[in-house]
Amino acid sequence: MQTDQAVFLLNVLLPTVESEAETTKKVIAAIPEGKGDYRPDPKSKTADELAWHIVSAEPWFLEGIAAGKFAEGDPGRPAELKTPADLVAWYEKNLAAGIEKVKAMPPEKLAETLSFYGIFNYPAVTYLSFLTLHSVHHRGQLSAYIRPMGGKVPSIYGGSADEPFQMPEGA
């Protein structure tokens, strides 16, 4: 990948990461208090586990892209993160820090091939797409948990039964 191509992809993919984060925050915030242990099947993650997986993975991806190496293992959920609101606040802070690190990367580092544990070897900037797809996948799982937990499903890419689509004024 050429450096100009890497900068182009950064300018396309990073705004997508940022806009998807807004939707992710709505889904995490929709987890009903005290219902985080819900799981639809014994093999499924609980809502809390899935929410933590989503909010911790995005900063982890960004840190790996910026560092040129993906960290081994999960550092674990900090004990003080007990509620969906706590997770959203942690996510906002850590995602913003990771985004700033990626924005500051020189073009040659964005274009540099980065190994994902020997499974994938892509230019660093392309992992922004992987980050988005990973989060959208798990966010979809979590959104399917919300109504059975007694919560209201927020709009994601259009209205939901709980938050119908509203046509913008003047559209």
Side-chain angles (χ1 to χ4, degrees), residues 7 14 19 21 24 26 31 35 43 52 56 66 81 88 90 98 123 139 141 145 158 165 170:
V7 170
L14 203 52
S19 77
T24 296
K26 288 188 341 183
I31 298 170
K35 300 284 182 127
K43 291 182 183 178
W52 172 247
S56 66
L81 302 182
V88 169
W90 186 95
R139 190 177 69 207
Q141 290 175 314
Y145 286 24
F165 178 75

Side-chain angles (χ1 to χ4, degrees), residues 7 10 62 64-68 99-112 114 124-125:
V7 170
L10 177 70
L62 293 165
I65 292 165
I99 286 171
E100 289 308 312
K101 288 179 184 179
V102 171
K103 282 181 180 178
M105 290 175 68
E108 56 276 1
K109 288 294 188 184
L110 291 167
E112 197 171 87
L114 178 56
V125 70

Side-chain angles (χ1 to χ4, degrees), residues 10-27:
L10 177 70
N11 291 329
V12 169
L13 296 174
L14 203 52
T16 301
V17 169
E18 293 171 316
S19 77
E20 289 294 325
E22 295 306 311
T23 304
T24 296
K25 289 187 285 187
K26 288 188 341 183
V27 172

Side-chain angles (χ1 to χ4, degrees), residues 58-107:
E58 289 186 30
W60 177 87
F61 267 109
L62 293 165
E63 290 290 331
I65 292 165
K69 181 179 187 335
F70 292 106
E72 299 278 335
D74 177 3
R77 179 177 173 165
E80 67 272 11
L81 302 182
K82 298 185 184 315
T83 68
D86 294 341
L87 288 175
V88 169
W90 186 95
Y91 175 66
E92 285 177 326
K93 177 184 169 193
N94 288 279
L95 187 72
I99 286 171
E100 289 308 312
K101 288 179 184 179
V102 171
K103 282 181 180 178
M105 290 175 68

